[in-house]
Amino acid sequence: MRVVLFAALSADGFIGQDSDHRSLDWRSKADAKFFIEQTKKLGIIVMGSTTYKTFRVKQAPPGRRLIVYTTKPNSITGENVETTSEAPHALVKRLVNEGGTGIAVGGGATINKLFVDSGLVDELYLTIEPVLFGKGVPLFSGVMDKKLTLVDTRNLSDNTVLLHYAVQN
């Protein structure tokens, strides 16, 4: 199964301003469009409960499964939204057995680290947005030690850059 991590980052490297600022309004429309296109190809989106709460739409997007990591499944409401607390390897094994072929890891910092540390993430797509936060939520919730290979760079719009990396597992 292909496992791909997606993240939009401020130019100074944060995925959000702070845990209380849950708006995604700083992301470009080009990034949102790219994320939608890619998740349709992969079919399954996995994210943490805090990230889920930043989304305005509280249902699985058309044509995709949405799985939210949480220790409090009753706190996640939404149409066709699944919850889990499985280890990443167990989740991937289950999803493969159910016919899944791809997972988009959509954050946040804790889930990003959980999946990268598991050795399951094959690729990263990092969108660099033209904003500065000065401080904020990091891409990962702890120390990382992974090597990446740059696959491609491209502009998503005049001011937004997409970096595509392969993870050396």
Side-chain angles (χ1 to χ4, degrees):
M1 175 173 288
R2 184 172 170 223
V3 180
V4 184
L5 189 148
F6 294 85
L9 297 152
S10 64
D12 52 351
F14 298 105
I15 61 172
Q17 287 182 315
D18 58 50
S19 59
D20 294 327
H21 188 272
R22 303 197 177 190
S23 170
L24 293 175
D25 293 342
W26 57 275
R27 286 179 48 223
S28 64
K29 289 180 182 176
D31 175 62
K33 180 180 176 188
F34 178 77
F35 183 76
I36 291 166
E37 289 169 356
Q38 294 302 308
T39 59
K40 282 181 180 178
K41 292 176 188 174
L42 292 166
I44 302 166
I45 304 169
V46 172
M47 65 181 62
S49 59
T50 302
T51 301
Y52 173 72
K53 291 172 186 170
T54 66
F55 284 80
R56 290 186 183 114
V57 177
K58 298 300 181 196
Q59 63 187 16
R64 285 155 282 176
R65 288 176 71 178
L66 177 57
I67 302 172
V68 178
Y69 265 84
T70 182
T71 57
K72 299 174 187 171
N74 293 334
S75 71
I76 303 299
T77 58
E79 192 174 327
N80 298 319
V81 177
E82 303 169 47
T83 61
T84 191
S85 59
E86 296 167 276
H89 281 283
L91 175 64
V92 168
K93 182 177 180 180
R94 177 172 64 86
L95 293 172
V96 166
N97 289 337
E98 293 172 0
T101 58
I103 295 175
V105 178
T110 301
I111 300 306
N112 290 345
K113 182 169 177 33
L114 184 70
F115 272 82
V116 171
D117 280 350
S118 74
L120 292 168
V121 175
D122 303 303
E123 303 168 68
L124 272 78
Y125 281 99
L126 305 176
T127 302
I128 310 302
E129 296 286 5
V131 296
L132 298 171
F133 293 156
K135 66 175 185 167
V137 180
L139 180 59
F140 300 106
S141 64
V143 176
M144 296 296 303
D145 187 19
K146 286 284 184 182
K147 302 286 186 212
L148 306 174
T149 301
L150 184 63
V151 175
D152 188 33
T153 62
R154 67 177 164 142
N155 286 11
L156 287 181
S157 67
D158 288 344
N159 296 306
T160 303
V161 176
L162 179 68
L163 305 174
H164 179 197
Y165 290 100
V167 179
Q168 298 176 16
N169 285 317

